[in-house]
C-alpha cells in the first residue's frame, strides 16, 4: 500500500539523511514516486527537488550521486516529473519553466521532445501562442534530428505518440 511505502521511505530518509546520501537519494525519489501515485503533487514536487539536490552530493569515490548507474535515470526523471506535477496542478507557468529546464539539461536525450511538447501546451494554456508555436518548431526540429540519427526511432511507441501530439498541437494552435 502506498501510504505504508511513504511511511517506510520517510523513516529511511530520517535514518540515512546525514550519513548515507546514496540511500537518501533513492528514498527521496521513491517517496516522490509514491506521492505521484497518490496524486499528491505538492509533496511529489518537494521530494523530486530533494532528489536532485541530494544527487549533487558526492558519494563514494567523490563522484556525484546523480552520475551513478541507475541514479542518473532517477535524477533525469526527477526534472521531468517536477514539470509533470506542476502541469497536473494546472500551474502552467511553473510547469513551463520546469519543462524548459528539463529539455535544456537533457537536450541530447529523446525525452526532450516530451518536455518541448508539454511546454508548448503550457504556453497555449497561458494564451502565449507565439511561445507555443516556437516550442512546436523546436520539437519538430528535434524530432527530425532524432529520427534521422536513428530511423528506427520513428516507429517506436514513444516517438509515434510524440509525433501525434505534435501534429495535434500544430492543428490546434495553427487554427487560431
Amino acid at each position: 500500500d502506498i501510504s505504508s511505502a511513504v511511511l517506510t521511505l520517510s523513516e529511511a530518509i530520517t535514518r540515512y539523511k546525514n550519513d548515507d546520501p546514496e540511500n537518501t537519494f533513492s528514498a527521496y525519489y521513491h517517496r516522490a514516486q509514491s506521492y505521484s501515485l497518490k496524486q499528491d503533487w505538492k509533496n511529489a514536487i518537494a521530494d523530486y527537488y530533494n532528489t536532485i539536490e541530494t544527487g549533487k552530493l558526492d558519494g563514494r569515490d567523490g563522484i556525484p550521486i546523480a552520475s551513478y548507474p541507475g541514479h542518473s535515470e532517477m535524477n533525469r526523471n526527477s526534472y521531468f516529473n517536477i514539470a509533470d506535477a506542476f502541469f497536473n496542478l494546472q500551474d502552467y507557468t511553473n510547469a513551463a519553466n520546469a519543462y524548459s529546464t528539463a529539455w535544456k539539461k537533457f537536450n541530447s536525450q529523446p525525452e526532450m521532445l516530451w518536455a518541448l511538447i508539454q511546454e508548448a501546451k503550457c504556453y497555449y494554456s497561458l494564451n502565449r501562442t507565439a511561445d507555443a508555436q516556437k516550442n512546436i518548431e523546436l520539437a519538430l526540429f528535434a524530432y527530425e534530428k532524432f529520427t534521422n540519427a536513428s530511423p528506427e526511432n520513428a516507429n517506436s511507441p514513444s516517438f509515434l505518440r510524440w509525433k501525434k501530439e505534435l501534429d495535434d498541437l500544430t492543428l490546434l494552435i495553427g487554427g487560431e
Side-chain angles (χ1 to χ4, degrees), residues 20-176:
D20 188 349
E22 293 171 43
N23 280 321
T24 303
F25 174 91
S26 294
Y28 274 132
Y29 180 78
H30 291 294
R31 188 171 71 176
Q33 292 287 86
S34 297
Y35 283 134
S36 292
L37 289 171
K38 292 174 63 167
Q39 298 183 355
D40 181 350
W41 305 120
K42 290 181 181 180
N43 280 320
I45 290 167
D47 273 356
Y48 286 127
Y49 277 123
N50 287 330
T51 302
I52 292 166
E53 288 306 309
T54 305
K56 294 175 184 176
L57 300 174
D58 288 343
R60 58 184 177 267
D61 303 326
I63 299 169
I65 294 164
S67 65
Y68 292 177
H71 287 69
S72 60
E73 291 83 6
M74 288 188 275
N75 187 63
R76 180 202 60 212
N77 292 348
S78 293
Y79 281 91
F80 289 96
N81 292 342
I82 287 167
D84 288 341
F86 278 125
F87 190 88
N88 289 330
L89 288 168
Q90 298 180 346
D91 182 347
Y92 299 119
T93 299
N94 281 320
N97 291 334
Y99 284 122
S100 179
T101 298
W103 74 258
K104 287 174 182 171
K105 185 164 182 64
F106 301 99
N107 63 11
S108 65
Q109 298 183 23
E111 292 82 5
M112 77 172 286
L113 283 168
W114 172 252
L116 283 165
I117 292 165
Q118 289 301 102
E119 186 180 6
K121 288 179 182 179
C122 292
Y123 289 140
Y124 179 76
S125 296
L126 293 167
N127 295 315
R128 292 173 53 184
T129 306
D131 290 325
Q133 289 170 329
K134 186 169 72 172
N135 268 71
I136 291 169
E137 290 171 19
L138 285 169
L140 287 168
F141 177 79
Y143 177 85
E144 293 298 321
K145 179 181 95 170
F146 286 116
T147 55
N148 287 340
S150 299
E152 67 277 5
N153 280 343
N155 293 317
S156 75
S158 293
F159 274 81
L160 290 170
R161 185 179 80 242
W162 294 334
K163 182 66 169 117
K164 180 178 180 347
E165 295 246 3
L166 275 170
D167 292 344
D168 292 347
L169 266 175
T170 301
L171 287 173
L172 177 68
I173 294 172
E176 293 192 341

